[in-house]
Amino acid sequence: MNRKLLSGDEAIARGAWEAGCHVAAAYPGTPSTEILETLAGFSDVYCEWSTNEKVALEVALGASISGARALAAMKHVGLNVAADPLFSAAHIGARGGLVIVTADDPGLHSSQNEQDNRFYALAAKIPMFCPADSQEAKDFTRLAFEVSEEYDVPVLIRITTRVAHSSSIVTIGERAERPVKGYEKQVSKTVLLPVHARIRHVDLEHRLDRLRAYSERTSANRVEQGERRIGIICDGVAYHYCREVFPEVSYLKLGMVNPFPASLVRKFAAGVDQVIVVEEVDPFLELHVRSLGIEATGKDKLPRWGELNPRVVRLALGRPSTRRQEPREGSGEISTSAQAVNSRQPNDGNGLLGTVAGTRQLSPDKAIEPEPDLPSRPPALCPGCPHTGLFYALQKQRVIIGGDIGCYTLGALPPHNSMDTCIDMGASITFAHGCDKALGRNDPRRRVAVIGDSTFFHSGITGLLNVVYNKSDVVVVIADNRTTGMTGHQDHPGTGRTLSGEETVAVDIAALARACGIERVVAVDPYRVKETRRLIRELLKQPGPAVVISRRPCALLVRLREKPRKVNTEKCTGCKTCLGLGCPALTMVGEKTMVLEDLCAGCGMCADVCPQGAIE
């Protein structure tokens, strides 16, 4: 039997490797840093330091969407930075297994705050495993990848400093090779437009129902029968502290804390005289236990801050020591202000994670079905919108396009079909990067990102830095319409005006891209559709990262002086090439194109693409 002495961080890295992980990304932070440092020692896993935790999770999500098993690791406060993609990832799911490690720091050994990230699992509706030692850290990591793929959901692993940095003997195994499944376009799953996200949320609730049943039967949650007078419910390293202090009592050790195994807990509580919940920091387990109507001792005796250890457990719960060890005054080892959680309201038997009203009675389609007498009005870009020309230029290219948040997200819809994802602000570039690392040269399609100017300033810059630093082959298109268009034309660092209208520095996007390390930066006018398409095609033929700035002010900001266009019906052949622009001002009358003068902005993009020169 092959055994090694590993720290918890090293064991997680080993578990990821054994599980066939392909891509791993992280931002360093105590106590999680050693996970990626160890995993980078395995040559068959691509590993990177990302520019921050949000970028790391988006890179891993991009790899997962591309069919690769992926891992993102960070310390607890890093998950605050990554919370935006975390919630979106739960909706999107995991094509290749996606595991996220949060390393919490009870006691603030090296952190600016103390927080309990088990609540992230509850809020984001994501399953969570909490290993108690290095063996479980490795085993739960392998298990998390399996659960992620089986239930189409990212999985959180929560460790604490003592698990991360303490070492114990681990039985190791061999790598289970998992071929990358490859990328398949699933717009309704990966483009979180509201119309798609509503359905994905309902689907997520159904996935949680299945995970709730899994949590009741998984071996990660186990009962250790001892004396009936006390039954201790605990997770993580607290289990070992309790075993040292109370070796004779009964235990329900929870390795999977979300979804909460309510039936298992009820059965365990019914078999003991007194229930005690022992956990570090916040009363996560205790809240669930009490929501079931079960009387329990917990944070009314144990501290809500700092680490636990055997001494604190013994003193707080009144177990005499075999040697004299009085608590140090002012040491915080015994909680004097712990608040009892006395909410014992009648419950419906489902605990905190009960059925979401309405989702079981209606199918996803029925639940979001519009009123039947409303006319159909599909969303579309505005007449004269410069993004129209950009998306026309991107159509029919052999590319995978990461999209972003803004009115240009409509480029995912027909007739453009020029966007593969919409995850969160700034994720277009990082998705494309993760996709590139997962697929490599096995997929000839170039990876492209489309992001607006305001979104680029919001959180795209870190993604672009990551592309340069970690050497990926991504072409980034910045749709620069000189404003924050979707929310009503607010200014941003590129417009040269503050909120109060004062003149200020207008940041040069091209100079900024070059400062990030991009050597090929070109600007195009999307109204010149053919030229834009030609330049983009040329760039796509050249390897290496590049930035295209598609610059033209929002059509609603700049009133065009040109008159509305008209169609010369004698020249029009009805080829419908112009309809590929998706401009609302274009329609067909019989077999000829017609320009709706009331809508036409006179931009001339339709005239530029008409092969007959029929639009004048």
Side-chain angles (χ1 to χ4, degrees), residues 279 281 283 286 298-309 311-318 327-340:
E279 55 192 325
V281 194
E286 186 179 337
K299 293 301 177 183
D300 53 333
K301 299 287 186 183
L302 290 153
R304 287 174 178 252
W305 53 80
E307 288 187 295
L308 297 179
N309 59 45
R311 186 167 183 263
V312 172
V313 171
R314 182 174 64 251
L315 293 173
L317 298 179
R328 297 188 298 273
E329 186 176 354
S331 66
E333 289 180 321
I334 297 180
S335 171
T336 56
S337 61
Q339 300 172 8

PDB file of all heavy atoms in Angstrom, residues 279 281 283 286 298-309 311-318 327-340:
ATOM      1  N   GLU A 279     -18.521  23.106  16.324  1.00  0.00           N
ATOM      2  CA  GLU A 279     -18.033  23.607  15.033  1.00  0.00           C
ATOM      3  C   GLU A 279     -17.291  24.913  15.274  1.00  0.00           C
ATOM      4  O   GLU A 279     -17.555  25.622  16.242  1.00  0.00           O
ATOM      5  CB  GLU A 279     -19.198  23.831  14.062  1.00  0.00           C
ATOM      6  CG  GLU A 279     -20.281  24.757  14.621  1.00  0.00           C
ATOM      7  CD  GLU A 279     -21.562  24.743  13.803  1.00  0.00           C
ATOM      8  OE1 GLU A 279     -21.476  24.614  12.580  1.00  0.00           O
ATOM      9  OE2 GLU A 279     -22.633  24.868  14.408  1.00  0.00           O
ATOM     10  N   VAL A 281     -16.157  28.789  14.534  1.00  0.00           N
ATOM     11  CA  VAL A 281     -16.673  30.093  14.122  1.00  0.00           C
ATOM     12  C   VAL A 281     -18.200  30.141  14.238  1.00  0.00           C
ATOM     13  O   VAL A 281     -18.722  30.123  15.339  1.00  0.00           O
ATOM     14  CB  VAL A 281     -16.183  30.482  12.721  1.00  0.00           C
ATOM     15  CG1 VAL A 281     -16.441  31.981  12.478  1.00  0.00           C
ATOM     16  CG2 VAL A 281     -14.669  30.218  12.549  1.00  0.00           C
ATOM     17  N   PRO A 283     -22.442  29.286  13.862  1.00  0.00           N
ATOM     18  CA  PRO A 283     -23.297  28.111  14.110  1.00  0.00           C
ATOM     19  C   PRO A 283     -23.996  27.631  12.844  1.00  0.00           C
ATOM     20  O   PRO A 283     -25.222  27.613  12.770  1.00  0.00           O
ATOM     21  CB  PRO A 283     -24.297  28.647  15.145  1.00  0.00           C
ATOM     22  CG  PRO A 283     -24.442  30.092  14.811  1.00  0.00           C
ATOM     23  CD  PRO A 283     -23.076  30.540  14.339  1.00  0.00           C
ATOM     24  N   GLU A 286     -25.470  24.178  13.642  1.00  0.00           N
ATOM     25  CA  GLU A 286     -26.438  24.342  14.727  1.00  0.00           C
ATOM     26  C   GLU A 286     -27.738  24.972  14.231  1.00  0.00           C
ATOM     27  O   GLU A 286     -28.830  24.587  14.658  1.00  0.00           O
ATOM     28  CB  GLU A 286     -25.818  25.191  15.836  1.00  0.00           C
ATOM     29  CG  GLU A 286     -26.681  25.306  17.074  1.00  0.00           C
ATOM     30  CD  GLU A 286     -26.013  26.141  18.151  1.00  0.00           C
ATOM     31  OE1 GLU A 286     -24.770  26.255  18.127  1.00  0.00           O
ATOM     32  OE2 GLU A 286     -26.727  26.683  19.012  1.00  0.00           O
ATOM     33  N   GLY A 298     -24.722  24.244  21.777  1.00  0.00           N
ATOM     34  CA  GLY A 298     -23.765  24.635  20.746  1.00  0.00           C
ATOM     35  C   GLY A 298     -23.075  25.926  21.111  1.00  0.00           C
ATOM     36  O   GLY A 298     -22.289  25.985  22.061  1.00  0.00           O
ATOM     37  N   LYS A 299     -23.437  26.981  20.385  1.00  0.00           N
ATOM     38  CA  LYS A 299     -22.770  28.254  20.600  1.00  0.00           C
ATOM     39  C   LYS A 299     -23.188  28.954  21.885  1.00  0.00           C
ATOM     40  O   LYS A 299     -22.670  30.025  22.198  1.00  0.00           O
ATOM     41  CB  LYS A 299     -23.004  29.159  19.385  1.00  0.00           C
ATOM     42  CG  LYS A 299     -22.320  28.665  18.116  1.00  0.00           C
ATOM     43  CD  LYS A 299     -20.813  28.552  18.292  1.00  0.00           C
ATOM     44  CE  LYS A 299     -20.137  27.990  17.044  1.00  0.00           C
ATOM     45  NZ  LYS A 299     -18.684  27.821  17.227  1.00  0.00           N
ATOM     46  N   ASP A 300     -24.133  28.370  22.624  1.00  0.00           N
ATOM     47  CA  ASP A 300     -24.389  28.903  23.954  1.00  0.00           C
ATOM     48  C   ASP A 300     -23.258  28.527  24.915  1.00  0.00           C
ATOM     49  O   ASP A 300     -23.117  29.119  25.982  1.00  0.00           O
ATOM     50  CB  ASP A 300     -25.730  28.384  24.493  1.00  0.00           C
ATOM     51  CG  ASP A 300     -25.816  26.858  24.443  1.00  0.00           C
ATOM     52  OD1 ASP A 300     -25.152  26.261  23.587  1.00  0.00           O
ATOM     53  OD2 ASP A 300     -26.560  26.284  25.259  1.00  0.00           O
ATOM     54  N   LYS A 301     -22.441  27.542  24.518  1.00  0.00           N
ATOM     55  CA  LYS A 301     -21.292  27.137  25.335  1.00  0.00           C
ATOM     56  C   LYS A 301     -19.958  27.390  24.628  1.00  0.00           C
ATOM     57  O   LYS A 301     -18.955  27.699  25.260  1.00  0.00           O
ATOM     58  CB  LYS A 301     -21.390  25.638  25.648  1.00  0.00           C
ATOM     59  CG  LYS A 301     -22.631  25.235  26.435  1.00  0.00           C
ATOM     60  CD  LYS A 301     -22.540  25.690  27.882  1.00  0.00           C
ATOM     61  CE  LYS A 301     -23.724  25.146  28.695  1.00  0.00           C
ATOM     62  NZ  LYS A 301     -23.690  25.628  30.092  1.00  0.00           N
ATOM     63  N   LEU A 302     -19.964  27.230  23.337  1.00  0.00           N
ATOM     64  CA  LEU A 302     -18.709  27.294  22.576  1.00  0.00           C
ATOM     65  C   LEU A 302     -18.515  28.669  21.948  1.00  0.00           C
ATOM     66  O   LEU A 302     -19.499  29.350  21.620  1.00  0.00           O
ATOM     67  CB  LEU A 302     -18.721  26.226  21.487  1.00  0.00           C
ATOM     68  CG  LEU A 302     -18.623  24.786  21.992  1.00  0.00           C
ATOM     69  CD1 LEU A 302     -19.290  23.826  21.022  1.00  0.00           C
ATOM     70  CD2 LEU A 302     -17.159  24.409  22.200  1.00  0.00           C
ATOM     71  N   PRO A 303     -17.279  29.086  21.741  1.00  0.00           N
ATOM     72  CA  PRO A 303     -17.027  30.421  21.181  1.00  0.00           C
ATOM     73  C   PRO A 303     -17.379  30.526  19.705  1.00  0.00           C
ATOM     74  O   PRO A 303     -17.307  29.544  18.960  1.00  0.00           O
ATOM     75  CB  PRO A 303     -15.519  30.611  21.386  1.00  0.00           C
ATOM     76  CG  PRO A 303     -14.978  29.232  21.451  1.00  0.00           C
ATOM     77  CD  PRO A 303     -16.035  28.394  22.103  1.00  0.00           C
ATOM     78  N   ARG A 304     -17.778  31.731  19.315  1.00  0.00           N
ATOM     79  CA  ARG A 304     -18.088  32.025  17.914  1.00  0.00           C
ATOM     80  C   ARG A 304     -16.871  32.578  17.177  1.00  0.00           C
ATOM     81  O   ARG A 304     -16.989  32.942  16.012  1.00  0.00           O
ATOM     82  CB  ARG A 304     -19.205  33.055  17.823  1.00  0.00           C
ATOM     83  CG  ARG A 304     -20.595  32.541  18.186  1.00  0.00           C
ATOM     84  CD  ARG A 304     -21.575  33.692  18.209  1.00  0.00           C
ATOM     85  NE  ARG A 304     -22.926  33.239  18.511  1.00  0.00           N
ATOM     86  CZ  ARG A 304     -23.901  33.192  17.611  1.00  0.00           C
ATOM     87  NH1 ARG A 304     -23.661  33.548  16.375  1.00  0.00           N
ATOM     88  NH2 ARG A 304     -25.103  32.796  17.961  1.00  0.00           N
ATOM     89  N   TRP A 305     -15.783  32.743  17.843  1.00  0.00           N
ATOM     90  CA  TRP A 305     -14.603  33.280  17.183  1.00  0.00           C
ATOM     91  C   TRP A 305     -13.380  32.448  17.537  1.00  0.00           C
ATOM     92  O   TRP A 305     -13.379  31.708  18.524  1.00  0.00           O
ATOM     93  CB  TRP A 305     -14.368  34.737  17.604  1.00  0.00           C
ATOM     94  CG  TRP A 305     -14.315  34.938  19.084  1.00  0.00           C
ATOM     95  CD1 TRP A 305     -13.266  34.693  19.915  1.00  0.00           C
ATOM     96  CD2 TRP A 305     -15.390  35.384  19.909  1.00  0.00           C
ATOM     97  NE1 TRP A 305     -13.606  34.972  21.207  1.00  0.00           N
ATOM     98  CE2 TRP A 305     -14.896  35.411  21.254  1.00  0.00           C
ATOM     99  CE3 TRP A 305     -16.708  35.798  19.664  1.00  0.00           C
ATOM    100  CZ2 TRP A 305     -15.691  35.817  22.314  1.00  0.00           C
ATOM    101  CZ3 TRP A 305     -17.481  36.197  20.741  1.00  0.00           C
ATOM    102  CH2 TRP A 305     -16.977  36.201  22.046  1.00  0.00           C
ATOM    103  N   GLY A 306     -12.374  32.577  16.712  1.00  0.00           N
ATOM    104  CA  GLY A 306     -11.129  31.874  16.970  1.00  0.00           C
ATOM    105  C   GLY A 306     -11.211  30.387  16.673  1.00  0.00           C
ATOM    106  O   GLY A 306     -12.269  29.846  16.363  1.00  0.00           O
ATOM    107  N   GLU A 307     -10.070  29.759  16.737  1.00  0.00           N
ATOM    108  CA  GLU A 307     -10.015  28.318  16.523  1.00  0.00           C
ATOM    109  C   GLU A 307     -10.490  27.553  17.747  1.00  0.00           C
ATOM    110  O   GLU A 307     -10.367  28.030  18.878  1.00  0.00           O
ATOM    111  CB  GLU A 307      -8.578  27.893  16.222  1.00  0.00           C
ATOM    112  CG  GLU A 307      -8.053  28.278  14.876  1.00  0.00           C
ATOM    113  CD  GLU A 307      -6.682  27.646  14.660  1.00  0.00           C
ATOM    114  OE1 GLU A 307      -5.738  28.010  15.385  1.00  0.00           O
ATOM    115  OE2 GLU A 307      -6.578  26.785  13.764  1.00  0.00           O
ATOM    116  N   LEU A 308     -11.010  26.379  17.528  1.00  0.00           N
ATOM    117  CA  LEU A 308     -11.212  25.441  18.622  1.00  0.00           C
ATOM    118  C   LEU A 308      -9.941  24.627  18.798  1.00  0.00           C
ATOM    119  O   LEU A 308      -9.079  24.595  17.925  1.00  0.00           O
ATOM    120  CB  LEU A 308     -12.384  24.503  18.322  1.00  0.00           C
ATOM    121  CG  LEU A 308     -13.767  25.133  18.178  1.00  0.00           C
ATOM    122  CD1 LEU A 308     -14.802  24.060  17.870  1.00  0.00           C
ATOM    123  CD2 LEU A 308     -14.169  25.936  19.408  1.00  0.00           C
ATOM    124  N   ASN A 309      -9.828  23.992  19.929  1.00  0.00           N
ATOM    125  CA  ASN A 309      -8.801  22.979  20.169  1.00  0.00           C
ATOM    126  C   ASN A 309      -9.332  22.101  21.290  1.00  0.00           C
ATOM    127  O   ASN A 309     -10.373  22.412  21.888  1.00  0.00           O
ATOM    128  CB  ASN A 309      -7.440  23.614  20.493  1.00  0.00           C
ATOM    129  CG  ASN A 309      -7.493  24.517  21.709  1.00  0.00           C
ATOM    130  OD1 ASN A 309      -8.073  24.141  22.727  1.00  0.00           O
ATOM    131  ND2 ASN A 309      -6.902  25.701  21.592  1.00  0.00           N
ATOM    132  N   ARG A 311      -8.570  21.749  24.306  1.00  0.00           N
ATOM    133  CA  ARG A 311      -8.693  22.447  25.592  1.00  0.00           C
ATOM    134  C   ARG A 311      -9.933  23.330  25.626  1.00  0.00           C
ATOM    135  O   ARG A 311     -10.676  23.364  26.611  1.00  0.00           O
ATOM    136  CB  ARG A 311      -7.431  23.280  25.831  1.00  0.00           C
ATOM    137  CG  ARG A 311      -7.363  23.950  27.183  1.00  0.00           C
ATOM    138  CD  ARG A 311      -5.950  24.465  27.435  1.00  0.00           C
ATOM    139  NE  ARG A 311      -5.816  25.064  28.744  1.00  0.00           N
ATOM    140  CZ  ARG A 311      -5.904  26.364  28.948  1.00  0.00           C
ATOM    141  NH1 ARG A 311      -6.115  27.178  27.945  1.00  0.00           N
ATOM    142  NH2 ARG A 311      -5.763  26.841  30.179  1.00  0.00           N
ATOM    143  N   VAL A 312     -10.157  24.055  24.551  1.00  0.00           N
ATOM    144  CA  VAL A 312     -11.332  24.921  24.499  1.00  0.00           C
ATOM    145  C   VAL A 312     -12.605  24.089  24.550  1.00  0.00           C
ATOM    146  O   VAL A 312     -13.568  24.433  25.256  1.00  0.00           O
ATOM    147  CB  VAL A 312     -11.298  25.788  23.213  1.00  0.00           C
ATOM    148  CG1 VAL A 312     -12.610  26.543  23.034  1.00  0.00           C
ATOM    149  CG2 VAL A 312     -10.131  26.757  23.250  1.00  0.00           C
ATOM    150  N   VAL A 313     -12.625  22.981  23.825  1.00  0.00           N
ATOM    151  CA  VAL A 313     -13.811  22.114  23.825  1.00  0.00           C
ATOM    152  C   VAL A 313     -14.063  21.570  25.221  1.00  0.00           C
ATOM    153  O   VAL A 313     -15.199  21.578  25.727  1.00  0.00           O
ATOM    154  CB  VAL A 313     -13.630  20.964  22.809  1.00  0.00           C
ATOM    155  CG1 VAL A 313     -14.747  19.935  22.956  1.00  0.00           C
ATOM    156  CG2 VAL A 313     -13.594  21.513  21.386  1.00  0.00           C
ATOM    157  N   ARG A 314     -12.990  21.131  25.872  1.00  0.00           N
ATOM    158  CA  ARG A 314     -13.138  20.547  27.205  1.00  0.00           C
ATOM    159  C   ARG A 314     -13.647  21.573  28.205  1.00  0.00           C
ATOM    160  O   ARG A 314     -14.589  21.313  28.972  1.00  0.00           O
ATOM    161  CB  ARG A 314     -11.793  19.991  27.665  1.00  0.00           C
ATOM    162  CG  ARG A 314     -11.855  19.302  29.040  1.00  0.00           C
ATOM    163  CD  ARG A 314     -10.544  18.632  29.415  1.00  0.00           C
ATOM    164  NE  ARG A 314      -9.468  19.595  29.575  1.00  0.00           N
ATOM    165  CZ  ARG A 314      -8.441  19.742  28.756  1.00  0.00           C
ATOM    166  NH1 ARG A 314      -8.358  18.975  27.687  1.00  0.00           N
ATOM    167  NH2 ARG A 314      -7.514  20.636  28.977  1.00  0.00           N
ATOM    168  N   LEU A 315     -13.056  22.756  28.193  1.00  0.00           N
ATOM    169  CA  LEU A 315     -13.447  23.780  29.157  1.00  0.00           C
ATOM    170  C   LEU A 315     -14.860  24.290  28.880  1.00  0.00           C
ATOM    171  O   LEU A 315     -15.647  24.509  29.798  1.00  0.00           O
ATOM    172  CB  LEU A 315     -12.446  24.937  29.108  1.00  0.00           C
ATOM    173  CG  LEU A 315     -11.031  24.614  29.600  1.00  0.00           C
ATOM    174  CD1 LEU A 315     -10.089  25.783  29.332  1.00  0.00           C
ATOM    175  CD2 LEU A 315     -11.050  24.267  31.088  1.00  0.00           C
ATOM    176  N   ALA A 316     -15.176  24.479  27.622  1.00  0.00           N
ATOM    177  CA  ALA A 316     -16.493  25.021  27.293  1.00  0.00           C
ATOM    178  C   ALA A 316     -17.610  24.041  27.627  1.00  0.00           C
ATOM    179  O   ALA A 316     -18.700  24.435  28.058  1.00  0.00           O
ATOM    180  CB  ALA A 316     -16.543  25.380  25.802  1.00  0.00           C
ATOM    181  N   LEU A 317     -17.335  22.751  27.473  1.00  0.00           N
ATOM    182  CA  LEU A 317     -18.379  21.747  27.687  1.00  0.00           C
ATOM    183  C   LEU A 317     -18.265  21.061  29.045  1.00  0.00           C
ATOM    184  O   LEU A 317     -18.974  20.090  29.322  1.00  0.00           O
ATOM    185  CB  LEU A 317     -18.342  20.712  26.561  1.00  0.00           C
ATOM    186  CG  LEU A 317     -18.615  21.275  25.156  1.00  0.00           C
ATOM    187  CD1 LEU A 317     -18.524  20.185  24.109  1.00  0.00           C
ATOM    188  CD2 LEU A 317     -19.984  21.945  25.102  1.00  0.00           C
ATOM    189  N   GLY A 318     -17.353  21.545  29.906  1.00  0.00           N
ATOM    190  CA  GLY A 318     -17.331  21.080  31.282  1.00  0.00           C
ATOM    191  C   GLY A 318     -16.725  19.714  31.493  1.00  0.00           C
ATOM    192  O   GLY A 318     -17.018  19.056  32.492  1.00  0.00           O
ATOM    193  N   PRO A 327      -8.246  28.064  32.292  1.00  0.00           N
ATOM    194  CA  PRO A 327      -8.227  28.979  31.154  1.00  0.00           C
ATOM    195  C   PRO A 327      -7.486  30.255  31.491  1.00  0.00           C
ATOM    196  O   PRO A 327      -7.562  30.749  32.608  1.00  0.00           O
ATOM    197  CB  PRO A 327      -9.724  29.246  30.912  1.00  0.00           C
ATOM    198  CG  PRO A 327     -10.385  28.959  32.220  1.00  0.00           C
ATOM    199  CD  PRO A 327      -9.586  27.853  32.842  1.00  0.00           C
ATOM    200  N   ARG A 328      -6.778  30.743  30.505  1.00  0.00           N
ATOM    201  CA  ARG A 328      -6.062  31.996  30.703  1.00  0.00           C
ATOM    202  C   ARG A 328      -7.035  33.156  30.629  1.00  0.00           C
ATOM    203  O   ARG A 328      -7.821  33.266  29.691  1.00  0.00           O
ATOM    204  CB  ARG A 328      -4.980  32.153  29.634  1.00  0.00           C
ATOM    205  CG  ARG A 328      -3.910  31.082  29.715  1.00  0.00           C
ATOM    206  CD  ARG A 328      -2.773  31.417  28.764  1.00  0.00           C
ATOM    207  NE  ARG A 328      -3.240  31.452  27.385  1.00  0.00           N
ATOM    208  CZ  ARG A 328      -3.299  30.373  26.611  1.00  0.00           C
ATOM    209  NH1 ARG A 328      -2.935  29.205  27.081  1.00  0.00           N
ATOM    210  NH2 ARG A 328      -3.723  30.477  25.370  1.00  0.00           N
ATOM    211  N   GLU A 329      -6.956  34.020  31.618  1.00  0.00           N
ATOM    212  CA  GLU A 329      -7.871  35.153  31.651  1.00  0.00           C
ATOM    213  C   GLU A 329      -7.674  36.044  30.428  1.00  0.00           C
ATOM    214  O   GLU A 329      -6.544  36.417  30.107  1.00  0.00           O
ATOM    215  CB  GLU A 329      -7.650  35.962  32.928  1.00  0.00           C
ATOM    216  CG  GLU A 329      -8.659  37.088  33.101  1.00  0.00           C
ATOM    217  CD  GLU A 329      -8.458  37.799  34.417  1.00  0.00           C
ATOM    218  OE1 GLU A 329      -7.634  37.353  35.218  1.00  0.00           O
ATOM    219  OE2 GLU A 329      -9.138  38.798  34.636  1.00  0.00           O
ATOM    220  N   GLY A 330      -8.765  36.368  29.769  1.00  0.00           N
ATOM    221  CA  GLY A 330      -8.679  37.239  28.603  1.00  0.00           C
ATOM    222  C   GLY A 330      -8.148  36.574  27.373  1.00  0.00           C
ATOM    223  O   GLY A 330      -7.897  37.212  26.357  1.00  0.00           O
ATOM    224  N   SER A 331      -7.947  35.279  27.417  1.00  0.00           N
ATOM    225  CA  SER A 331      -7.372  34.590  26.259  1.00  0.00           C
ATOM    226  C   SER A 331      -8.399  34.326  25.180  1.00  0.00           C
ATOM    227  O   SER A 331      -8.060  34.038  24.038  1.00  0.00           O
ATOM    228  CB  SER A 331      -6.783  33.244  26.686  1.00  0.00           C
ATOM    229  OG  SER A 331      -7.824  32.379  27.125  1.00  0.00           O
ATOM    230  N   GLY A 332      -9.699  34.447  25.539  1.00  0.00           N
ATOM    231  CA  GLY A 332     -10.735  34.163  24.562  1.00  0.00           C
ATOM    232  C   GLY A 332     -10.966  32.692  24.351  1.00  0.00           C
ATOM    233  O   GLY A 332     -11.660  32.292  23.436  1.00  0.00           O
ATOM    234  N   GLU A 333     -10.406  31.861  25.201  1.00  0.00           N
ATOM    235  CA  GLU A 333     -10.563  30.428  25.012  1.00  0.00           C
ATOM    236  C   GLU A 333     -11.935  29.947  25.426  1.00  0.00           C
ATOM    237  O   GLU A 333     -12.390  28.894  25.018  1.00  0.00           O
ATOM    238  CB  GLU A 333      -9.484  29.672  25.782  1.00  0.00           C
ATOM    239  CG  GLU A 333      -8.108  29.824  25.172  1.00  0.00           C
ATOM    240  CD  GLU A 333      -7.079  29.067  25.957  1.00  0.00           C
ATOM    241  OE1 GLU A 333      -7.149  29.063  27.183  1.00  0.00           O
ATOM    242  OE2 GLU A 333      -6.185  28.477  25.324  1.00  0.00           O
ATOM    243  N   ILE A 334     -12.606  30.723  26.294  1.00  0.00           N
ATOM    244  CA  ILE A 334     -13.966  30.366  26.659  1.00  0.00           C
ATOM    245  C   ILE A 334     -14.873  31.514  26.270  1.00  0.00           C
ATOM    246  O   ILE A 334     -14.648  32.661  26.635  1.00  0.00           O
ATOM    247  CB  ILE A 334     -14.098  30.103  28.157  1.00  0.00           C
ATOM    248  CG1 ILE A 334     -13.223  28.903  28.537  1.00  0.00           C
ATOM    249  CG2 ILE A 334     -15.537  29.839  28.538  1.00  0.00           C
ATOM    250  CD1 ILE A 334     -13.289  28.561  29.986  1.00  0.00           C
ATOM    251  N   SER A 335     -15.929  31.205  25.533  1.00  0.00           N
ATOM    252  CA  SER A 335     -16.845  32.243  25.116  1.00  0.00           C
ATOM    253  C   SER A 335     -17.652  32.733  26.298  1.00  0.00           C
ATOM    254  O   SER A 335     -18.189  31.944  27.063  1.00  0.00           O
ATOM    255  CB  SER A 335     -17.795  31.708  24.042  1.00  0.00           C
ATOM    256  OG  SER A 335     -18.803  32.657  23.806  1.00  0.00           O
ATOM    257  N   THR A 336     -17.693  34.026  26.508  1.00  0.00           N
ATOM    258  CA  THR A 336     -18.540  34.588  27.553  1.00  0.00           C
ATOM    259  C   THR A 336     -19.724  35.326  26.985  1.00  0.00           C
ATOM    260  O   THR A 336     -20.578  35.799  27.700  1.00  0.00           O
ATOM    261  CB  THR A 336     -17.737  35.561  28.426  1.00  0.00           C
ATOM    262  OG1 THR A 336     -17.172  36.565  27.583  1.00  0.00           O
ATOM    263  CG2 THR A 336     -16.618  34.825  29.160  1.00  0.00           C
ATOM    264  N   SER A 337     -19.761  35.462  25.654  1.00  0.00           N
ATOM    265  CA  SER A 337     -20.849  36.215  25.039  1.00  0.00           C
ATOM    266  C   SER A 337     -21.525  35.429  23.938  1.00  0.00           C
ATOM    267  O   SER A 337     -22.193  35.997  23.090  1.00  0.00           O
ATOM    268  CB  SER A 337     -20.305  37.539  24.470  1.00  0.00           C
ATOM    269  OG  SER A 337     -19.333  37.266  23.493  1.00  0.00           O
ATOM    270  N   ALA A 338     -21.327  34.119  23.950  1.00  0.00           N
ATOM    271  CA  ALA A 338     -21.983  33.322  22.912  1.00  0.00           C
ATOM    272  C   ALA A 338     -23.484  33.465  23.034  1.00  0.00           C
ATOM    273  O   ALA A 338     -24.043  33.439  24.117  1.00  0.00           O
ATOM    274  CB  ALA A 338     -21.573  31.869  23.057  1.00  0.00           C
ATOM    275  N   GLN A 339     -24.120  33.627  21.911  1.00  0.00           N
ATOM    276  CA  GLN A 339     -25.559  33.849  21.922  1.00  0.00           C
ATOM    277  C   GLN A 339     -26.283  32.545  21.636  1.00  0.00           C
ATOM    278  O   GLN A 339     -25.947  31.844  20.687  1.00  0.00           O
ATOM    279  CB  GLN A 339     -25.933  34.884  20.859  1.00  0.00           C
ATOM    280  CG  GLN A 339     -25.252  36.216  21.093  1.00  0.00           C
ATOM    281  CD  GLN A 339     -25.483  37.146  19.935  1.00  0.00           C
ATOM    282  OE1 GLN A 339     -26.264  36.845  19.051  1.00  0.00           O
ATOM    283  NE2 GLN A 339     -24.822  38.267  19.958  1.00  0.00           N
ATOM    284  N   ALA A 340     -27.256  32.261  22.458  1.00  0.00           N
ATOM    285  CA  ALA A 340     -28.051  31.064  22.206  1.00  0.00           C
ATOM    286  C   ALA A 340     -28.920  31.265  20.985  1.00  0.00           C
ATOM    287  O   ALA A 340     -29.435  32.336  20.744  1.00  0.00           O
ATOM    288  CB  ALA A 340     -28.923  30.767  23.414  1.00  0.00           C
TER     289      ALA A 340
END
